[in-house]
Amino acid sequence: STDCHFRKSCPSGMDNECSPMRCFTSQACDTNRGHGKLVEEFPALSRSRHDLTNYRFCSNRWQPSIHGCGEMSFDIYCGDDESRCDGELTCEYTHCNVRDMIDTELVRRREAKNREMFELLVGLSGDDRRRYNTCGKSLEDANSRCGQWCSDPSFFSCPDGEDCFTDTNCYAVDGAEPTTSPSTPLP
């Protein structure tokens, strides 16, 4: 499934256990590959982008849009939980969508992860097993394409819809895409 990062793992496999999130029970989704962590951090990802609760923030009832969307923070997002608002503030509809804020945060994190991965790859010894990590839609896809190198199974290591696979037949050289002809044999 290409949306495993936006689902939550539920031990019983029943969606009501994860409400309002959607569970994953298929073998395509795996918590060991980091699936489900984003939706736990940002529950709004489990709802439609246009769900009205995405527009609810804590604000002064008489001035519901005193902040521009760029000034909004996750701290004042209330969704459907009035109790998140302190003091004189109430949970009000605004013109800002928390999903836009999440998208911006995910782009920021992906860019930071790309910088971190580049620095990590340059520092790895030639025989480090992590040089055999490669992104793909499946292990077979990763082995056949030798796409982007990845450091770990987090959401930010690979392009959308792909996961990080270890021990592939691909080998990453500093500053280059992985290749199927490693310059050093697999130990």
Side-chain angles (χ1 to χ4, degrees):
S1 171
T2 59
D3 65 349
C4 292
H5 288 286
F6 301 101
R7 293 180 178 228
K8 182 178 178 186
S9 175
C10 306
S12 73
M14 303 300 292
D15 281 334
N16 63 348
E17 179 183 3
C18 302
S19 184
M21 300 171 198
R22 297 177 307 173
C23 290
F24 61 75
T25 57
S26 70
Q27 291 179 336
C29 298
D30 184 353
T31 55
N32 292 324
R33 296 201 325 246
H35 298 153
K37 289 183 180 175
L38 280 179
V39 84
E40 287 178 13
E41 183 178 358
F42 301 113
L45 288 172
S46 68
R47 294 189 295 269
S48 160
R49 175 173 286 284
H50 305 292
D51 188 297
L52 292 178
T53 59
N54 291 340
Y55 294 90
R56 297 189 73 205
F57 289 83
C58 299
S59 65
N60 180 313
R61 164 180 314 267
W62 307 111
Q63 293 179 322
S65 302
I66 57 173
H67 299 288
C69 295
E71 297 172 15
M72 294 292 207
S73 74
F74 294 113
D75 295 339
I76 63 170
Y77 171 69
C78 54
D80 58 2
D81 184 2
E82 284 280 338
S83 69
R84 290 187 52 117
C85 301
D86 295 331
E88 300 283 319
L89 302 179
T90 58
C91 194
E92 302 288 338
Y93 288 100
T94 69
H95 63 283
C96 304
N97 189 329
V98 72
R99 291 288 297 268
D100 295 333
M101 294 169 58
I102 294 169
D103 291 347
T104 300
E105 176 64 11
L106 295 181
V107 166
R108 186 194 67 73
R109 289 183 187 183
R110 187 178 299 272
E111 289 170 353
K113 184 66 173 186
N114 286 340
R115 285 189 301 274
E116 175 189 313
M117 285 189 336
F118 174 77
E119 291 169 9
L120 176 65
L121 181 59
V122 170
L124 292 179
S125 66
D127 63 349
D128 192 302
R129 301 218 32 105
R130 290 174 290 179
R131 285 189 178 271
Y132 293 90
N133 294 358
T134 307
C135 295
K137 295 182 186 311
S138 65
L139 178 59
E140 294 76 26
D141 178 57
N143 276 324
S144 68
R145 285 191 308 115
C146 290
Q148 176 179 313
W149 177 77
C150 49
S151 60
D152 59 61
S154 74
F155 171 73
F156 305 104
S157 291
C158 294
D160 289 340
E162 295 185 11
D163 290 310
C164 184
F165 292 91
T166 59
D167 295 325
T168 67
N169 62 11
C170 307
Y171 181 84
V173 178
D174 296 352
E177 287 294 313
T179 174
T180 52
S181 9
S183 55
T184 59
L186 192 72

